[in-house]
Amino acid sequence: MLAVLLVAGGGVWFAASGDDVRKPVAEESGKRPGSSPTAERGDDKGSGESDVKLAEKLNAQRKPGEAKVRWLQSFGVDLPGHAFGVFGPWSAGDVVAKAVYRTVSGYSVADGKQKWSLRMPNDICAAPTQPTADGKIVVAAEAEESDNGADCSVLQMIDLKTGKPGWKKTLEKGGPLETEKHVAMSANGETVTYSRPGHVHTYRVGDGREVFRTQPRDCRSYVFTSGPRMIAVADCPRTGGNQVQEFDPQTGKLKWTYKIEKGWFIDQVYSVSPLVISVQKGQEWRLVALRDDGTFRSHIALGTRDIDLGFSDFEVRCGGYLVVNWNRDDCAGVAADSDTLYVSSRRKHVEFDVDNKIVAFDLNTGKQKWTADAPLGRRMEPLRMEGRNVLLYVAATKTQGGAVATLAPTGGDRQMVLTHPASTAAIEEGMTAAKVTYEGGRSLLTRPLVGMDEDDEAEASMKTMMAFGE
């Protein structure tokens, strides 16, 4: 299972229904919110009357073959001072949910109407990239008393289908060399893992019972992946290197360890099945493909990359529009099947326009197999596998709507499966680095960052989610 989801991070969501203009309790009363989360049912007003009318207007301009705008949402409020990232979205049955600032909210997949909203007493600061298989999430929030705003130590379980809060606990503070600022979280089967430098805590999602904890000495497992496999990244200062590990999420038993060459550090986990790890040494960038038992499979050379300048031959985006989370399984622009890795090349100027390619690599040999061109002037990136084919997102331009397409494992011509209307092109193109999901003939775009516009009106009308499909 490939982790290709894009956005995560802290964020702001002031709405109690859709993205309307209702402000948070702290702003309305001038007092600090209470210490316990409170759940509210949605008021079934949907995304707001203006957004409903806008969707109708945009649909009236559709051309033959273009998908319907199912719903869209505006942000609806002016934020104080700075921008915030978004956790999610997470899917659970007929609900899509996301978390921003101090609120987790669930919406109807069909029409975007808010089904529930849960307020947290303090800022949400960490969450798994994926929910559990039965639709639950555990988010971490700042403690009520925090010396520097970085004490991300309060855990809250939430049922995404109903919005009902479950167990809650506050973790003990770490030692002087430990911090709750750099927190990563993952969900594996019936467990959720909270990891910070020096400590790992794994809990049963159903009741919050701690299953196991580790306080590694020689090698610190500091981040884990969500999904059916609990893959860990470890730092081993005594040996001067990083390790890839796999644990049993039910017992904490270490299954195997793979040592990365000295001098290289692990950047991201691009896929867990097959297992593909991104590593870097200075500006040199490559992938390490491993077999299921943790033994070496191949190296894939990706050229050079400058993290600070964003320069590279390939374009894989991790951690959201701004790197605001510490998970390592949330990258967009890469997908994999059992034999092949698919990755986006960096966009290059071609005859005063830009385009890019999908590049396929053989996971057994590390060699390039083929490339497929994006439409001229468009960006194209892998989303995930759809059967034997790779599912793609073709980005919008100012005049052309985006699209979802498939590409055969042998390359060749892409096949469009959903074409977004040209009438929404300007809105879609403006949703920079949106997370794109596709399921059951419907696509959903979620903006990874909200706020930061100095113009109050522009900020309030910012589109945060758009859904397409019949």
Side-chain angles (χ1 to χ4, degrees):
M1 178 177 180
L2 182 67
V4 295
L5 305 186
L6 168 63
V7 293
V12 173
W13 196 256
F14 287 159
S17 65
D19 279 6
D20 60 22
V21 294
R22 180 170 177 174
K23 295 182 179 180
V25 174
E27 287 195 3
E28 291 174 337
S29 65
K31 299 179 181 179
R32 187 179 185 88
S35 60
S36 299
T38 57
E40 299 177 15
R41 297 297 299 175
D43 59 8
D44 292 329
K45 292 182 180 178
S47 305
E49 185 178 4
S50 60
D51 284 340
V52 172
K53 289 183 176 180
L54 176 58
E56 293 174 352
K57 178 181 177 180
L58 295 170
N59 280 325
Q61 302 173 36
R62 280 195 303 160
K63 299 174 183 178
E66 293 181 341
K68 178 182 179 181
V69 182
R70 295 190 61 82
W71 50 271
L72 50 80
Q73 289 184 351
S74 296
F75 188 56
V77 297
D78 174 41
L79 297 181
H82 63 285
F84 298 82
V86 178
F87 290 97
W90 305 294
S91 295
D94 62 350
V95 172
V96 59
K98 63 178 180 178
V100 279
Y101 186 52
R102 298 178 179 179
T103 303
V104 187
S105 301
Y107 305 87
S108 167
V109 171
D111 57 18
K113 291 182 178 179
Q114 182 178 299
K115 303 188 76 168
W116 55 263
S117 179
L118 181 68
R119 288 282 305 193
M120 297 290 292
N122 294 289
D123 293 7
I124 298 168
C125 45
T129 303
Q130 301 176 34
T132 62
D134 61 351
K136 295 182 176 64
I137 198 75
V138 177
V139 301
E142 292 181 3
E144 186 170 353
E145 298 295 333
S146 178
D147 295 333
N148 57 8
D151 184 9
C152 185
S153 59
V154 180
L155 301 183
Q156 175 67 65
M157 190 273 276
I158 304 166
D159 187 327
L160 295 176
K161 295 179 181 178
T162 64
K164 293 181 179 179
W167 55 268
K168 177 183 177 181
K169 63 179 62 191
T170 300
L171 302 180
E172 297 178 0
K173 294 184 68 67
L177 299 180
E178 298 167 7
T179 175
E180 286 75 39
K181 182 178 181 180
H182 299 165
V183 170
M185 296 185 70
S186 65
N188 304 95
E190 298 177 352
T191 65
V192 62
T193 296
Y194 170 104
S195 52
R196 63 190 183 194
H199 286 271
V200 175
H201 305 265
T202 297
Y203 302 94
R204 195 164 62 188
V205 174
D207 57 14
R209 181 178 67 84
E210 188 167 66
V211 180
F212 63 89
R213 71 168 65 184
T214 60
Q215 293 176 288
R217 300 301 180 188
D218 295 337
C219 290
R220 293 187 170 188
S221 306
Y222 62 91
V223 69
F224 295 77
T225 62
S226 293
R229 299 182 66 186
M230 192 178 194
I231 303 298
V233 175
D235 181 37
C236 308
R238 291 189 179 182
T239 58
N242 280 188
Q243 291 184 4
V244 185
Q245 306 166 331
E246 182 171 11
F247 289 86
D248 183 332
Q250 301 301 321
T251 65
K253 181 180 179 181
L254 179 64
K255 292 184 175 182
W256 53 259
T257 294
Y258 177 83
K259 296 181 179 180
I260 301 296
E261 288 183 52
K262 191 173 182 179
W264 291 79
F265 74 91
I266 298 172
D267 176 36
Q268 297 282 341
V269 180
Y270 284 169
S271 172
V272 297
S273 184
L275 187 52
V276 182
I277 311 295
S278 171
V279 298
Q280 196 163 345
K281 181 181 181 181
Q283 293 189 357
E284 191 175 353
W285 183 23
R286 71 185 184 192
L287 307 183
V288 180
L290 302 178
R291 299 184 182 90
D292 285 347
D293 61 359
T295 56
F296 177 77
R297 188 177 183 185
S298 69
H299 281 145
I300 298 175
L302 295 183
T304 60
R305 179 174 64 168
D306 188 306
I307 294 178
D308 294 328
L309 298 178
F311 175 81
S312 64
D313 294 327
F314 295 89
E315 187 173 13
V316 181
R317 297 173 288 112
C318 307
Y321 183 63
L322 298 176
V323 181
V324 291
N325 99 98
W326 296 91
N327 294 351
R328 292 294 183 268
D329 61 353
D330 63 343
C331 297
V334 61
D337 60 25
S338 60
D339 300 312
T340 308
L341 179 89
Y342 308 91
V343 62
S344 301
S345 71
R346 189 170 185 82
R347 288 165 285 176
K348 297 181 179 179
H349 288 275
V350 179
E351 297 180 355
F352 306 104
D353 216 327
V354 294
D355 67 358
N356 75 318
K357 302 177 184 291
I358 301 299
V359 183
F361 290 96
D362 190 316
L363 287 174
N364 292 313
T365 65
K367 296 181 179 180
Q368 181 177 307
K369 298 171 70 173
W370 50 261
T371 66
D373 292 337
L376 187 63
R378 310 287 291 276
R379 176 176 59 85
M380 186 167 69
E381 67 180 21
L383 294 177
R384 59 173 175 80
M385 299 308 299
E386 177 92 336
R388 296 184 63 251
N389 298 327
V390 58
L391 193 70
L392 309 171
Y393 173 61
V394 182
T397 68
K398 291 186 182 301
T399 58
Q400 296 173 290
V404 178
T406 59
L407 196 62
T410 53
D413 296 332
R414 62 193 169 275
Q415 302 295 318
M416 294 296 184
V417 297
L418 190 71
T419 301
H420 300 167
S423 59
T424 65
I427 299 173
E428 185 176 355
E429 192 268 344
M431 295 180 70
T432 306
K435 175 183 173 180
V436 182
T437 57
Y438 176 83
E439 199 69 43
R442 299 175 180 178
S443 61
L444 175 67
L445 278 68
T446 305
R447 184 185 289 270
L449 199 71
V450 292
M452 80 180 176
D453 200 312
E454 294 182 1
D455 186 313
D456 293 355
E457 184 177 346
E459 190 169 86
S461 63
M462 176 186 292
K463 299 299 179 283
T464 58
M465 299 180 84
M466 293 182 68
F468 300 91
E470 299 303 328

